[in-house]
């Protein structure tokens, strides 16, 4: 049995691992088998993370975080958690390969998942012109006309990035103004390849074997129009990955894990949460990292409060 298991490998998870490892808690960090590193693995230039004056690539930043966590003794395991039992003094984590791991404390830092439009043809045409990741798929849309759906920072970043490949990028937004930060708006407005389609929502995606257009409905007049293009990138937000803790941890009305005040303490003793899974508002790499720090310190204090006999049961795990 371990003292602590961290579930999630984004900025929150790896920062928690760095702090926990430096406290000699010998954490096991369980990273996803297919989405290790979190959303920053799909980000190009990260310009607002402190310490990198010239910016840094998202995957490089996550690699540095992992290297730092492992330097202090974190064990990283690439698999997917399929089941959790967070009750009692001992928490049990079941993996996709059937293995189970036990710990006295768990930090849940699973982040969030791309939000989808919910249209019938969205899944059918996934990988055939429908994408949720510009940095993953932008290369395949050279000299094509494409659309980005959304009005936040992620949508502006995706649209700007995609102008490297596409001949034209429409930004489709259901309102007449953007919610993106001022600097991201200015970059998009200044890009000659980007054209905005205001007060419009996507009600259909057309194409037999690949995307060939969108059906848009004007949010004011209700009129429907067709927009011919060769691909769409959906950037309308994210949903916290909380399915593993439903009926075990209290959630907020926004669907994030509820924590006590500014702490990481969840409704279950010995279980802590950090990062986007508790943050419906800011959702930045730096705030996720700070949240991971809070979770590690809270977990450390919790473990220090346990009876010595219970702590003794969490012996020295052999590194894989």
């Amino acid at each position: 049995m371990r003292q602590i298991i961290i579930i999630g490998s984004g900025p929150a998870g790896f920062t928690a691992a760095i702090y926990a490892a430096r406290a000699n808690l010998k954490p096991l960090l369980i990273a996803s088998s297919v989405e290790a590193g979190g959303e920053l693995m799909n980000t190009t230039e990260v310009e607002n993370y402190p310490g990198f004056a010239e910016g840094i690539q998202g995957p490089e930043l996550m690699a540095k975080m992992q290297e730092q966590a492992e330097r202090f003794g974190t064990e990283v395991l690439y698999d997917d958690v399929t089941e959790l039992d967070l009750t009692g003094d001992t928490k049990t984590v079941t993996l996709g390969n059937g293995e189970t791991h036990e710990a006295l404390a768990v930090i849940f830092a699973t982040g969030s998942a791309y939000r989808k439009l919910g249209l019938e043809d969205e899944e059918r045409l996934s990988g055939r012109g429908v994408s949720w990741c510009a940095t993953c798929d932008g290369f395949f849309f050279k000299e094509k006309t494409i659309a980005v759906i959304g009005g936040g920072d992620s949508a502006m970043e995706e649209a700007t990035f995609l102008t490297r490949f596409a001949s034209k990028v429409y930004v489709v937004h259901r309102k007449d103004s953007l919610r993106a930060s001022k600097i991201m708006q200015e970059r998009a407005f200044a890009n000659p390849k980007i054209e905005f389609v205001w007060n419009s929502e996507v009600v259909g995606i057309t194409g037999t074997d690949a995307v060939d257009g969108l059906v848009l409905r004007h949010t004011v007049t209700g009129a429907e129009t067709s927009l011919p293009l060769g691909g769409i990138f959906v950037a309308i937000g994210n949903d916290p990955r909380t399915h593993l803790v439903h009926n075990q941890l209290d959630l907020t009305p926004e669907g994030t894990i509820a924590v006590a005040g500014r702490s990481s303490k969840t409704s279950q003793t010995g279980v802590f949460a950090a990062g986007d899974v508790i943050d419906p508002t800011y959702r930045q790499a730096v705030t996720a990292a700070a949240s991971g720090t809070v979770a590690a310190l809270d977990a450390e204090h919790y473990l220090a409060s346990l009876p010595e006999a219970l702590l003794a049961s969490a012996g020295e795990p052999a590194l894989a």
Side-chain angles (χ1 to χ4, degrees), residues 301-314:
H301 294 155
Y302 167 74
L303 290 167
S305 72
L306 295 178
E308 289 187 10
L310 188 57
L311 285 172
S313 65

Side-chain angles (χ1 to χ4, degrees), residues 141 144-148 162-163 166 168-171 229-233:
F141 293 83
K144 289 189 177 183
T145 297
I146 59 177
V148 172
L162 287 166
T163 59
K168 186 178 186 63
V169 178
Y170 290 103
V171 173
L229 41 75
I232 69 168
F233 288 79

